[in-house]
Amino acid sequence: MRATTIHAPFDMRVEDVPEPVVQLPTDAVVRVLRACICGSDLWAYRGEAARQAGQRIGHEFLGVVEETGSEVGTLRRGDLVVAPFMWSDGTCEYCREGLTTSCVHGGFWGSVGYDGGQGEAVRVPFADGTLVKLPKEAAADDHLLTSLLTLSDVLGTGHHAAVGAGVRPGSTVAVVGDGAVGLCGVLAAKRLGAERIIALGRHEVRTEIARRFGATDVVASRGEEAVAAVRELTRGQGAHCVIEAVGTEQSMSTAVHITRDGGSIGYVGVPHGSGTGLDLSVMFDRNIALRGGVAPVRAYIPDLLPDVLDGTIDSSPVFDMTVDIEGVPDGYKAMDERTALKVLVTNG
């Protein structure tokens, strides 16, 4: 089969690799219909996250079950499924508590020795605990498939940030970051009943999507100017709930300084750079709570899925470029150069 591999910074290749097969009785093999490129993939692409030469990549996909191991009980050949960005057994203590990203048997697609989502097929460990079955008829609806794909990561991650920030009906929310996760954070905040949503971003195309998703205000500045603008919009107080969806020192510092006293920050931006911008004395003095981290999207999919299926949530606008599997390297280049927000990969 064809699959994307990374060999060095900026060296992405689509190569012939062995077809996946069931290796353990809890495995399934999924033929990928839709995958995508994540902003976090760019850290490997740029050489800021170590990878072995030839390692697979990609962690967001949906597709059709081709084969199952003898102990897989909830899935059968032909089922349409979506995979969260980490696999999990569904039975350990962490999984039972809803923290599937801490599963004692869990792992990340594209790890050494495992398939990545940016390929034609994937061996899925612990298929019963990992995969979520979708209505078969969705396979014939291209728009719906695209929206369903966001359940694998960005929609659930945006939701995790909103939950961590304590978004509730009537609250004022500020979202730091205009990438796909930040935009899904806007969507999640709207879904959870936020009355006012302030999107921080300087890219007009992206902030227009934020408005479509429910943003009531846009702040197109950074650093101290952004803090001043949010304060002005909130009578000098700041937002009750802040979603941090970037992960840099500046973005976290901005998040802290636009949070209202007694408010909360939900952080899901993968940390990178020289620090986190956290001043614990400021957070202590102002009773600011911080909660977030790696989103356990497998636990959120059952809650979010009905709203995606009935059209209450349509997160498909976060995809603004489409390639086939052979075009994945071009997709990375476009996202790295910020000429694409998020790239959809189609396999038939």
Side-chain angles (χ1 to χ4, degrees):
M1 71 167 188
R2 302 290 281 172
T4 307
T5 57
I6 182 168
H7 291 260
F10 307 104
D11 183 4
M12 310 298 297
R13 305 178 193 176
V14 179
E15 301 180 305
D16 290 324
V17 300
E19 286 272 356
V21 296
V22 168
Q23 298 179 14
L24 298 170
T26 51
D27 287 351
V29 173
V30 172
R31 182 66 53 179
V32 176
L33 294 179
R34 297 288 183 275
C36 52
I37 302 172
C38 183
S40 63
D41 291 330
L42 295 180
W43 302 122
Y45 179 72
R46 295 167 179 159
E48 297 180 43
R51 294 290 188 276
Q52 292 186 9
Q55 191 171 335
R56 308 286 181 82
I57 196 166
H59 54 264
E60 302 160 281
F61 66 94
L62 60 75
V64 176
V65 175
E66 238 182 25
E67 185 182 0
T68 59
S70 60
E71 293 181 13
V72 176
T74 62
L75 303 165
R76 62 181 60 185
R77 181 181 173 87
D79 284 343
L80 180 68
V81 292
V82 62
F85 65 80
M86 293 183 70
W87 69 79
S88 52
D89 63 19
T91 60
C92 78
E93 186 173 349
Y94 288 114
C95 286
R96 294 197 304 271
E97 292 173 355
L99 193 61
T100 51
T101 49
S102 291
C103 176
V104 297
H105 298 118
F108 195 80
W109 309 112
S111 299
V112 175
Y114 291 89
D115 297 311
Q118 293 161 18
E120 292 183 319
V122 177
R123 179 178 75 88
V124 178
F126 302 102
D128 281 331
T130 300
L131 299 172
V132 177
K133 192 185 303 186
L134 304 172
K136 285 187 178 182
E137 56 270 23
D141 186 333
D142 189 67
H143 184 88
L144 179 57
L145 269 187
T146 301
S147 190
L148 287 166
L149 178 60
T150 64
L151 289 167
S152 65
D153 187 348
V154 290
L155 182 58
T157 297
H159 178 73
H160 186 55
V163 171
V167 176
R168 57 197 180 279
S171 57
T172 295
V173 180
V175 180
V176 182
D178 60 3
V181 170
L183 294 173
C184 286
V186 172
L187 199 60
K190 180 68 173 178
R191 177 177 178 271
L192 293 174
E195 181 176 316
R196 190 175 195 184
I197 304 172
I198 304 167
L200 281 69
R202 299 186 298 172
H203 303 272
E204 189 173 341
V205 172
R206 299 182 181 195
T207 53
E208 280 304 309
I209 297 173
R211 289 189 186 278
R212 288 174 59 185
F213 282 0
T216 56
D217 304 270
V218 169
V219 170
S221 53
R222 280 186 175 182
E224 293 180 2
E225 290 184 6
V227 172
V230 173
R231 291 276 172 183
E232 184 176 353
L233 288 169
T234 56
R235 296 178 292 114
Q237 295 182 346
H240 301 103
C241 316
V242 175
I243 290 172
E244 193 287 312
V246 182
T248 63
E249 184 171 4
Q250 182 185 67
S251 64
M252 184 61 82
S253 178
T254 297
V256 170
H257 287 97
I258 64 174
T259 304
R260 186 180 189 270
D261 287 16
S264 301
I265 300 169
Y267 72 106
V268 292
V270 178
H272 52 277
S274 60
T276 62
L278 283 175
D279 186 334
L280 292 181
S281 65
V282 172
M283 298 181 70
F284 181 86
D285 290 344
R286 296 177 48 219
N287 280 281
I288 293 174
L290 180 68
R291 186 171 179 83
V294 185
V297 299
R298 176 60 180 84
Y300 294 136
I301 292 175
D303 182 37
L304 297 171
L305 177 58
D307 283 358
V308 176
L309 290 173
D310 69 14
T312 301
I313 295 175
D314 179 10
S315 44
S316 63
V318 300
F319 296 104
D320 59 350
M321 178 177 177
T322 301
V323 298
D324 62 14
I325 185 67
E326 302 300 330
V328 170
D330 292 333
Y332 272 88
K333 186 173 186 292
M335 285 183 62
D336 181 54
E337 295 175 350
R338 298 183 73 82
T339 58
L341 167 61
K342 190 168 180 66
V343 175
L344 177 70
V345 182
T346 61
N347 284 331

